[in-house]
Amino acid sequence: MQRTEHQALTDRMRLTLDEEQLTNCMRCGFCQTACPTFLETGLEAASPRGRIALMKAVVDGIMEPDESFQAQMDLCLGCRACEPACPSDVKYGQLIEQTREAIAQEKKYSMPVKLARKTFLEGLFPHQGRMKFMGKALKFYQKSGLQKLARSTGAMKMFPEHLQQLEKALPEVSGDGLMDLWRKAGFPVRAEKSSSGAKLLIIPAVGETIARVGMFRGCIMDVMFAETNVNTVRLLRQAGFEVAVPDAQVCCGALHAHSGEMEDAKNLASKNISAFQEAGVDYIASNAGGCGALLKEYDHLMKEDQNPSIRNAAVTFAGQVKDISELLQGIGRPLLHKEQDPKTAAVKVTYQDSCHLRNVMRVQGQPRELMQGIPGVQLCELQGSEVCCGSAGIYNMTQPEMSTDLLDHKMENVEQTGAETIVTSNPGCLLQMKWGIERAGTGEHVRAVHLVDLLSESVILDDKMGL
């Protein structure tokens, strides 16, 4: 008799899941108060402890991994807020990704879902040229009048309400990537070859060089937030870093890993490890919490690679990864700010933590310290800033109901701060905050910005140095 899909998934999970991590959970429940989906639903199955129990029940043969089991795995945001709260140091993030990998390999997806996964995960994100084409297409949509036409004719009403609102929250796209914008601005850059002959762009530091930093430009960041990438480089060089931009770098693989496509994630990781290793960098800078978290865990991702040199290189790579705030606050020279007009009232800002920046990279204080160092800025702490905003990669599209519930509660807390500016350190969070402002109807007096862009408004930048 042919095996059922549930039996195949059970066997796959037995092969894939880390048995030690499954048994490490003491069922103490500390994770529950940190878990957004448990706080929203109150259901044991919607908590990390509950999901681990479900995983173990499947592996032990007590239950089948049916549709309700898979729905609970899908409902998880993957924010990993449970990990810092866990006294047993259970690697829940690894368990949920291993489970999703098993599901992805055995699940019979519908044709539209198969097409979407193949188009985006295989056909788009791993290819820099195609991502740039998408950026130019989006720019054409915004600038040509098509966007205005789609809204005025009601064409957008063909899409679900949450996608209509997300479309309104999209930033204005330049159509150019980091290096295109850098060259157009006339900023200093020189071309070199890496040890393998690959193209390497070097941007000199302002003043004495402290270290060479590899700039991870990302895929979504370099399409929708390319100006933030430019500002990242400007701040880094002002702080004394020479910036290297390897042309051979690719997507970090985070969306692939979160979707269970682990082999694709590993292939992308291998390319990035080689690109930055050949660039001879001291640090690797990330300005996206979601990307930085996976880059920081390349050592775990590649630990079973058959090539020892790749495994060793992955460990070195992971140790070099730093969030931009870590480099600016703890390693680089202090940034000089423009003087505040004494007649100008302080601007109230609040900060929404990127889950992966806080929970995986364990960066909390540095962004806040940088904001507090800006003249004329009053930081108003956001209640529940450690709770996921509901973005979580593509979660706001796959789980719109839970995502909007989390977002609406987040915006209620933002209102309590009285802040005029919401600051975050991840592109997904930034889009989610812009969507929240759209939903709350507060766009006239509240804005959302990346930490890097807020800093660049205040810091004295000498961009022509090095020409």
Side-chain angles (χ1 to χ4, degrees), residues 85-220:
C86 179
S88 299
D89 194 30
V90 175
K91 306 299 184 186
Y92 173 81
Q94 295 174 16
L95 288 173
I96 191 68
E97 288 190 355
Q98 288 164 357
T99 301
R100 286 172 172 172
E101 178 185 8
I103 292 172
Q105 291 186 29
E106 299 297 339
K107 188 177 179 66
K108 292 180 173 60
Y109 292 106
S110 65
M111 187 54 67
V113 173
K114 278 185 182 178
L115 182 62
R117 289 174 71 92
K118 190 171 184 65
T119 299
F120 290 100
L121 296 179
E122 292 182 33
L124 184 59
F125 291 124
H127 306 283
Q128 182 189 357
R130 296 174 191 176
M131 290 297 295
K132 288 182 72 172
F133 177 79
M134 186 187 79
K136 292 187 181 300
L138 189 53
K139 178 184 178 181
F140 178 77
Y141 168 73
Q142 292 177 330
K143 299 291 187 181
S144 65
L146 282 176
Q147 184 180 52
K148 186 176 181 181
L149 182 66
R151 293 175 179 178
S152 63
T153 60
M156 287 303 301
K157 292 182 179 178
M158 293 187 296
F159 298 94
E161 184 180 356
H162 71 284
L163 291 182
Q164 296 177 42
Q165 294 173 344
L166 276 170
E167 188 270 345
K168 291 180 181 178
L170 287 176
E172 191 172 302
V173 176
S174 70
D176 291 319
L178 162 63
M179 295 315 303
D180 300 313
L181 293 176
W182 191 265
R183 290 192 183 93
K184 286 180 180 180
F187 293 154
V189 62
R190 69 178 187 272
E192 291 185 1
K193 295 288 185 181
S194 72
S195 57
S196 69
K199 186 178 179 182
L200 184 65
L201 297 171
I202 305 296
I203 300 167
V206 173
E208 183 181 354
T209 299
I210 293 175
R212 175 181 278 199
V213 171
M215 174 66 191
F216 187 79
R217 64 188 171 213
C219 49
I220 296 296

Side-chain angles (χ1 to χ4, degrees), residues 157-292:
K157 292 182 179 178
M158 293 187 296
F159 298 94
E161 184 180 356
H162 71 284
L163 291 182
Q164 296 177 42
Q165 294 173 344
L166 276 170
E167 188 270 345
K168 291 180 181 178
L170 287 176
E172 191 172 302
V173 176
S174 70
D176 291 319
L178 162 63
M179 295 315 303
D180 300 313
L181 293 176
W182 191 265
R183 290 192 183 93
K184 286 180 180 180
F187 293 154
V189 62
R190 69 178 187 272
E192 291 185 1
K193 295 288 185 181
S194 72
S195 57
S196 69
K199 186 178 179 182
L200 184 65
L201 297 171
I202 305 296
I203 300 167
V206 173
E208 183 181 354
T209 299
I210 293 175
R212 175 181 278 199
V213 171
M215 174 66 191
F216 187 79
R217 64 188 171 213
C219 49
I220 296 296
M221 280 299 300
D222 216 38
V223 168
M224 303 188 71
F225 301 100
E227 291 183 4
T228 303
N229 273 353
V230 170
N231 286 334
T232 300
V233 175
R234 294 171 77 194
L235 291 170
L236 283 170
R237 64 189 303 262
Q238 197 69 38
F241 297 108
E242 178 183 72
V243 181
V245 187
D247 194 55
Q249 64 178 290
V250 292
C251 169
C252 68
L255 289 176
H256 301 78
H258 301 331
S259 301
E261 303 292 344
M262 299 305 293
E263 286 306 312
D264 289 340
K266 290 175 184 178
N267 289 335
L268 293 168
S270 181
K271 292 178 182 178
N272 282 324
I273 290 167
S274 296
F276 284 92
Q277 183 181 43
E278 293 171 4
V281 299
D282 301 299
Y283 303 102
I284 298 165
S286 169
N287 58 12
C291 297

Side-chain angles (χ1 to χ4, degrees), residues 72 104 448:
Q72 275 301 345

Side-chain angles (χ1 to χ4, degrees), residues 40-97:
E40 285 292 326
T41 66
L43 297 174
E44 172 72 14
S47 71
R49 181 177 74 175
R51 291 190 180 101
I52 290 174
L54 291 175
M55 296 172 196
K56 193 170 187 309
V58 170
V59 170
D60 291 344
I62 298 172
M63 66 172 285
E64 286 192 337
D66 57 13
E67 286 71 21
S68 62
F69 168 85
Q70 295 178 37
Q72 275 301 345
M73 300 303 115
D74 290 339
L75 189 64
C76 175
L77 290 142
C79 69
R80 296 173 66 171
C82 51
E83 292 187 12
C86 179
S88 299
D89 194 30
V90 175
K91 306 299 184 186
Y92 173 81
Q94 295 174 16
L95 288 173
I96 191 68
E97 288 190 355

Side-chain angles (χ1 to χ4, degrees), residues 383-401:
Q383 181 182 350
S385 64
E386 76 284 359
V387 178
C388 183
C389 64
S391 172
I394 58 171
Y395 189 91
N396 52 14
M397 290 186 278
T398 60
Q399 301 282 341
E401 185 176 350

Side-chain angles (χ1 to χ4, degrees), residues 24-30 44 49-50 52-53:
N24 274 353
C25 177
M26 300 187 304
R27 301 191 56 77
C28 64
F30 281 107
E44 172 72 14
R49 181 177 74 175
I52 290 174

